[in-house]
Amino acid sequence: MWNIFGYSWEWQRRRPLVAAELADIEPDVVILHEARSARRPWEAGQSTPQQIAGDTGIPLIEWIDAPTSHPTARMGPALLARVPPANTTRVRLANRNSVDDLGFHEPWLLTTQWEIDGFRATVATTHLPGSRLPAAQEVAVRSLAEALAPLPSESDLLLLIGDLNLRPGSPGLHRLMRAANLESAPSLSVAPPTHPTSNAMFNRAMLDSGSTGRPRTPDERPIRVDHALFHSPHRASLRIADSGRFGTRHRTDDLFASDHWGLWVDLAVA
């Protein structure tokens, strides 16, 4: 799972870095956040998930091209997979009719199921509103908890993975974990930070975009906002064998592939 900083900032230079990072880990399944519609002439009408599918050879299975606050921009989670899933579902967690300020993009939950050696793996992913939008985040977290509640009983392993915009000590994160009896991989006490990969790059992107947000100081520590949370009632059958992060091996000067690290998870049948 990877938030690829879908706003068009430096995308032409970052795109090959994204492909190189994914080539390193050779994933069977890729979940992208901030996957957006084409916005530049050189993209030839291809969305970012279409471009990445072409660059990596991993087929694009689904992309939720949801509307944003910009009249011509569309953005949402995307699924690329070498092995087609059994099914996918999508749920909008909050909309602009119910929340005054939802931010740039709508939060959608993309849920996918695979059959693995007779076991069912359910992977749910979403990108929640940020902490600067507390009302939108509260609505989306509540909707997400409701959507997750029945899933553990339907799966041999449930994995919620995404840019949740919730820090490890956040009450919202712990409500989610209680709702579906989820654990963190790795545990929250040792999970490494995921944003930003570079304070200098983050500040330059803000400056170039005209953002009025607070710049980061050079020594400011990154934070954990992307999470891999799981529930596995049959640990001896289908389980998480390992997990980690990626996304900073390839760079051009002070430019990384994204402002987020990506998270990888290995599933195994014991």
Side-chain angles (χ1 to χ4, degrees), residues 177-191:
M177 295 176 72
R178 288 195 302 270
N181 195 21
L182 298 170
E183 302 174 55
S184 174
S187 67
L188 293 178
S189 61
V190 298

Side-chain angles (χ1 to χ4, degrees), residues 91-258:
V91 175
R92 185 166 59 179
L93 300 177
N95 63 65
R96 299 186 192 281
N97 294 328
S98 60
V99 180
D100 289 337
D101 187 358
L102 195 57
F104 183 74
H105 61 87
E106 294 181 343
W108 283 78
L109 178 67
L110 176 61
T111 303
T112 309
Q113 290 186 332
W114 281 269
E115 298 289 339
I116 304 174
D117 290 350
F119 300 102
R120 181 162 53 184
T122 299
V123 179
T125 191
T126 189
H127 182 190
L128 296 179
S131 58
R132 287 180 292 180
L133 300 168
Q137 190 178 77
E138 175 65 25
V139 170
V141 168
R142 185 168 61 249
S143 296
L144 177 56
E146 292 172 357
L148 290 177
L151 296 182
S153 63
E154 302 171 0
S155 310
D156 296 290
L157 184 141
L158 167 64
L159 174 65
L160 170 64
I161 188 167
D163 179 357
L164 303 184
N165 269 316
L166 298 169
R167 299 196 190 193
S170 161
L173 179 61
H174 290 277
R175 283 200 303 273
L176 279 177
M177 295 176 72
R178 288 195 302 270
N181 195 21
L182 298 170
E183 302 174 55
S184 174
S187 67
L188 293 178
S189 61
V190 298
T194 59
H195 176 266
T197 49
S198 163
N199 288 338
M201 188 178 87
F202 178 85
N203 289 341
R204 187 157 61 89
M206 288 184 58
L207 181 65
D208 290 351
S209 66
S211 171
T212 58
R214 182 183 65 83
R216 297 178 67 91
T217 60
D219 60 347
E220 191 169 352
R221 295 177 61 83
I223 58 176
R224 178 86 175 190
V225 293
D226 307 85
H227 297 276
L229 309 173
F230 71 97
H231 175 74
S232 179
H234 309 294
R235 293 180 183 276
S237 303
L238 186 62
R239 60 186 178 85
I240 292 182
D242 203 0
S243 64
R245 66 176 186 173
F246 67 97
T248 59
R249 180 176 179 182
H250 299 274
R251 61 186 294 176
T252 300
D253 298 323
D254 64 342
L255 189 72
F256 291 97
S258 176

